[in-house]
mmCIF file of all heavy atoms in Angstrom:
data_model
loop_
_atom_site.group_PDB
_atom_site.id
_atom_site.type_symbol
_atom_site.label_atom_id
_atom_site.label_comp_id
_atom_site.label_asym_id
_atom_site.label_seq_id
_atom_site.Cartn_x
_atom_site.Cartn_y
_atom_site.Cartn_z
ATOM 1 N N ILE F 112 8.446 4.792 -8.603
ATOM 2 C CA ILE F 112 7.398 5.803 -8.403
ATOM 3 C C ILE F 112 7.208 6.654 -9.656
ATOM 4 O O ILE F 112 6.080 6.965 -10.044
ATOM 5 C CB ILE F 112 7.744 6.683 -7.196
ATOM 6 C CG1 ILE F 112 7.725 5.850 -5.915
ATOM 7 C CG2 ILE F 112 6.760 7.846 -7.082
ATOM 8 C CD1 ILE F 112 8.138 6.607 -4.680
ATOM 9 N N SER F 113 8.303 7.011 -10.316
ATOM 10 C CA SER F 113 8.186 7.842 -11.522
ATOM 11 C C SER F 113 7.452 7.104 -12.635
ATOM 12 O O SER F 113 6.605 7.689 -13.327
ATOM 13 C CB SER F 113 9.577 8.268 -11.999
ATOM 14 O OG SER F 113 10.388 7.128 -12.279
ATOM 15 N N ALA F 114 7.761 5.803 -12.806
ATOM 16 C CA ALA F 114 7.067 5.019 -13.833
ATOM 17 C C ALA F 114 5.591 4.878 -13.497
ATOM 18 O O ALA F 114 4.728 4.940 -14.375
ATOM 19 C CB ALA F 114 7.721 3.639 -13.959
ATOM 20 N N PHE F 115 5.312 4.685 -12.222
ATOM 21 C CA PHE F 115 3.926 4.573 -11.771
ATOM 22 C C PHE F 115 3.168 5.867 -12.058
ATOM 23 O O PHE F 115 2.044 5.843 -12.582
ATOM 24 C CB PHE F 115 3.919 4.251 -10.279
ATOM 25 C CG PHE F 115 2.547 4.136 -9.676
ATOM 26 C CD1 PHE F 115 1.831 2.952 -9.769
ATOM 27 C CD2 PHE F 115 1.964 5.204 -9.010
ATOM 28 C CE1 PHE F 115 0.567 2.842 -9.225
ATOM 29 C CE2 PHE F 115 0.711 5.103 -8.458
ATOM 30 C CZ PHE F 115 0.002 3.913 -8.568
ATOM 31 N N MET F 116 3.750 6.999 -11.735
ATOM 32 C CA MET F 116 3.096 8.287 -11.944
ATOM 33 C C MET F 116 2.867 8.553 -13.432
ATOM 34 O O MET F 116 1.806 9.039 -13.830
ATOM 35 C CB MET F 116 3.918 9.404 -11.318
ATOM 36 C CG MET F 116 3.966 9.374 -9.801
ATOM 37 S SD MET F 116 5.085 10.618 -9.089
ATOM 38 C CE MET F 116 4.330 12.135 -9.683
ATOM 39 N N ASP F 117 3.869 8.244 -14.255
ATOM 40 C CA ASP F 117 3.717 8.462 -15.698
ATOM 41 C C ASP F 117 2.570 7.631 -16.265
ATOM 42 O O ASP F 117 1.782 8.117 -17.088
ATOM 43 C CB ASP F 117 5.019 8.102 -16.421
ATOM 44 C CG ASP F 117 6.144 9.082 -16.111
ATOM 45 O OD1 ASP F 117 5.844 10.200 -15.645
ATOM 46 O OD2 ASP F 117 7.317 8.725 -16.334
ATOM 47 N N GLU F 118 2.475 6.373 -15.832
ATOM 48 C CA GLU F 118 1.438 5.496 -16.357
ATOM 49 C C GLU F 118 0.052 5.922 -15.880
ATOM 50 O O GLU F 118 -0.923 5.872 -16.644
ATOM 51 C CB GLU F 118 1.715 4.053 -15.934
ATOM 52 C CG GLU F 118 0.945 3.018 -16.719
ATOM 53 C CD GLU F 118 1.238 3.076 -18.199
ATOM 54 O OE1 GLU F 118 2.409 3.256 -18.581
ATOM 55 O OE2 GLU F 118 0.276 2.946 -18.987
ATOM 56 N N ILE F 119 -0.053 6.325 -14.618
ATOM 57 C CA ILE F 119 -1.333 6.803 -14.103
ATOM 58 C C ILE F 119 -1.786 8.041 -14.872
ATOM 59 O O ILE F 119 -2.974 8.184 -15.218
ATOM 60 C CB ILE F 119 -1.237 7.121 -12.598
ATOM 61 C CG1 ILE F 119 -1.070 5.826 -11.793
ATOM 62 C CG2 ILE F 119 -2.471 7.872 -12.122
ATOM 63 C CD1 ILE F 119 -2.252 4.895 -11.864
ATOM 64 N N THR F 120 -0.860 8.928 -15.175
ATOM 65 C CA THR F 120 -1.193 10.131 -15.941
ATOM 66 C C THR F 120 -1.735 9.768 -17.313
ATOM 67 O O THR F 120 -2.733 10.344 -17.778
ATOM 68 C CB THR F 120 0.050 11.023 -16.094
ATOM 69 O OG1 THR F 120 0.550 11.383 -14.798
ATOM 70 C CG2 THR F 120 -0.287 12.294 -16.868
ATOM 71 N N ILE F 121 -1.115 8.791 -17.974
ATOM 72 C CA ILE F 121 -1.574 8.374 -19.304
ATOM 73 C C ILE F 121 -2.949 7.718 -19.218
ATOM 74 O O ILE F 121 -3.841 8.002 -20.023
ATOM 75 C CB ILE F 121 -0.551 7.397 -19.924
ATOM 76 C CG1 ILE F 121 0.769 8.127 -20.202
ATOM 77 C CG2 ILE F 121 -1.101 6.792 -21.210
ATOM 78 C CD1 ILE F 121 1.899 7.213 -20.643
ATOM 79 N N LEU F 122 -3.131 6.830 -18.242
ATOM 80 C CA LEU F 122 -4.393 6.109 -18.122
ATOM 81 C C LEU F 122 -5.567 7.032 -17.773
ATOM 82 O O LEU F 122 -6.706 6.767 -18.153
ATOM 83 C CB LEU F 122 -4.267 5.002 -17.061
ATOM 84 C CG LEU F 122 -3.347 3.828 -17.423
ATOM 85 C CD1 LEU F 122 -3.206 2.873 -16.247
ATOM 86 C CD2 LEU F 122 -3.883 3.083 -18.646
ATOM 87 N N LEU F 123 -5.273 8.111 -17.047
ATOM 88 C CA LEU F 123 -6.340 9.031 -16.640
ATOM 89 C C LEU F 123 -6.558 10.170 -17.631
ATOM 90 O O LEU F 123 -7.445 10.999 -17.432
ATOM 91 C CB LEU F 123 -6.025 9.621 -15.260
ATOM 92 C CG LEU F 123 -6.045 8.635 -14.085
ATOM 93 C CD1 LEU F 123 -5.712 9.363 -12.785
ATOM 94 C CD2 LEU F 123 -7.397 7.937 -13.963
ATOM 95 N N SER F 124 -5.767 10.196 -18.687
ATOM 96 C CA SER F 124 -5.891 11.279 -19.671
ATOM 97 C C SER F 124 -7.290 11.381 -20.282
ATOM 98 O O SER F 124 -7.800 12.497 -20.477
ATOM 99 C CB SER F 124 -4.850 11.107 -20.783
ATOM 100 O OG SER F 124 -3.545 11.261 -20.260
ATOM 101 N N PRO F 125 -7.955 10.241 -20.611
ATOM 102 C CA PRO F 125 -9.327 10.372 -21.140
ATOM 103 C C PRO F 125 -10.276 11.073 -20.175
ATOM 104 O O PRO F 125 -11.133 11.864 -20.601
ATOM 105 C CB PRO F 125 -9.748 8.910 -21.374
ATOM 106 C CG PRO F 125 -8.461 8.177 -21.580
ATOM 107 C CD PRO F 125 -7.487 8.851 -20.664
ATOM 108 N N LEU F 126 -10.132 10.809 -18.877
ATOM 109 C CA LEU F 126 -10.987 11.465 -17.893
ATOM 110 C C LEU F 126 -10.667 12.955 -17.793
ATOM 111 O O LEU F 126 -11.554 13.772 -17.550
ATOM 112 C CB LEU F 126 -10.829 10.798 -16.524
ATOM 113 C CG LEU F 126 -11.229 9.323 -16.445
ATOM 114 C CD1 LEU F 126 -11.023 8.793 -15.028
ATOM 115 C CD2 LEU F 126 -12.674 9.139 -16.883
ATOM 116 N N GLU F 127 -9.400 13.298 -18.004
ATOM 117 C CA GLU F 127 -9.030 14.716 -17.982
ATOM 118 C C GLU F 127 -9.636 15.451 -19.168
ATOM 119 O O GLU F 127 -10.094 16.596 -19.040
ATOM 120 C CB GLU F 127 -7.507 14.863 -17.990
ATOM 121 C CG GLU F 127 -7.036 16.309 -17.940
ATOM 122 C CD GLU F 127 -5.537 16.446 -17.777
ATOM 123 O OE1 GLU F 127 -4.838 15.419 -17.870
ATOM 124 O OE2 GLU F 127 -5.077 17.580 -17.547
ATOM 125 N N ARG F 128 -9.672 14.780 -20.331
ATOM 126 C CA ARG F 128 -10.269 15.420 -21.506
ATOM 127 C C ARG F 128 -11.761 15.647 -21.317
ATOM 128 O O ARG F 128 -12.339 16.566 -21.925
ATOM 129 C CB ARG F 128 -10.009 14.559 -22.744
ATOM 130 C CG ARG F 128 -8.564 14.632 -23.246
ATOM 131 C CD ARG F 128 -8.445 14.049 -24.631
ATOM 132 N NE ARG F 128 -8.580 12.600 -24.626
ATOM 133 C CZ ARG F 128 -7.561 11.757 -24.468
ATOM 134 N NH1 ARG F 128 -6.325 12.240 -24.303
ATOM 135 N NH2 ARG F 128 -7.757 10.451 -24.485
ATOM 136 N N LEU F 129 -12.399 14.829 -20.475
ATOM 137 C CA LEU F 129 -13.814 15.014 -20.166
ATOM 138 C C LEU F 129 -14.024 16.093 -19.107
ATOM 139 O O LEU F 129 -15.167 16.453 -18.810
ATOM 140 C CB LEU F 129 -14.425 13.701 -19.682
ATOM 141 C CG LEU F 129 -14.522 12.577 -20.723
ATOM 142 C CD1 LEU F 129 -15.001 11.285 -20.057
ATOM 143 C CD2 LEU F 129 -15.456 12.971 -21.863
ATOM 144 N N GLY F 130 -12.919 16.583 -18.522
ATOM 145 C CA GLY F 130 -13.016 17.619 -17.513
ATOM 146 C C GLY F 130 -13.323 17.112 -16.121
ATOM 147 O O GLY F 130 -13.711 17.888 -15.249
ATOM 148 N N TRP F 131 -13.166 15.819 -15.891
ATOM 149 C CA TRP F 131 -13.514 15.236 -14.593
ATOM 150 C C TRP F 131 -12.400 15.387 -13.565
ATOM 151 O O TRP F 131 -12.668 15.419 -12.364
ATOM 152 C CB TRP F 131 -13.849 13.746 -14.757
ATOM 153 C CG TRP F 131 -15.135 13.514 -15.499
ATOM 154 C CD1 TRP F 131 -15.971 14.468 -16.011
ATOM 155 C CD2 TRP F 131 -15.729 12.253 -15.819
ATOM 156 N NE1 TRP F 131 -17.039 13.889 -16.643
ATOM 157 C CE2 TRP F 131 -16.932 12.517 -16.526
ATOM 158 C CE3 TRP F 131 -15.372 10.929 -15.585
ATOM 159 C CZ2 TRP F 131 -17.761 11.505 -16.992
ATOM 160 C CZ3 TRP F 131 -16.204 9.924 -16.052
ATOM 161 C CH2 TRP F 131 -17.381 10.206 -16.749
ATOM 162 N N LEU F 132 -11.156 15.456 -14.011
ATOM 163 C CA LEU F 132 -10.036 15.549 -13.072
ATOM 164 C C LEU F 132 -8.801 16.037 -13.806
ATOM 165 O O LEU F 132 -8.811 16.209 -15.023
ATOM 166 C CB LEU F 132 -9.769 14.191 -12.405
ATOM 167 C CG LEU F 132 -9.677 12.941 -13.304
ATOM 168 C CD1 LEU F 132 -8.357 12.837 -14.042
ATOM 169 C CD2 LEU F 132 -9.880 11.684 -12.468
ATOM 170 N N LYS F 133 -7.742 16.272 -13.033
ATOM 171 C CA LYS F 133 -6.432 16.606 -13.579
ATOM 172 C C LYS F 133 -5.527 15.388 -13.395
ATOM 173 O O LYS F 133 -5.170 15.028 -12.269
ATOM 174 C CB LYS F 133 -5.839 17.814 -12.864
ATOM 175 C CG LYS F 133 -6.641 19.099 -13.023
ATOM 176 C CD LYS F 133 -6.597 19.602 -14.464
ATOM 177 C CE LYS F 133 -7.297 20.954 -14.581
ATOM 178 N NZ LYS F 133 -7.286 21.451 -15.972
ATOM 179 N N ALA F 134 -5.179 14.728 -14.485
ATOM 180 C CA ALA F 134 -4.425 13.473 -14.420
ATOM 181 C C ALA F 134 -3.088 13.646 -13.702
ATOM 182 O O ALA F 134 -2.690 12.804 -12.898
ATOM 183 C CB ALA F 134 -4.204 12.925 -15.822
#
Side-chain angles (χ1 to χ4, degrees):
I112 295 176
S113 59
F115 179 83
M116 292 174 61
D117 291 341
E118 196 59 41
I119 291 295
T120 301
I121 294 172
L122 291 175
L123 293 180
S124 294
L126 298 180
E127 181 173 9
R128 286 194 288 271
L129 293 174
W131 291 0
L132 48 77
K133 297 292 185 181

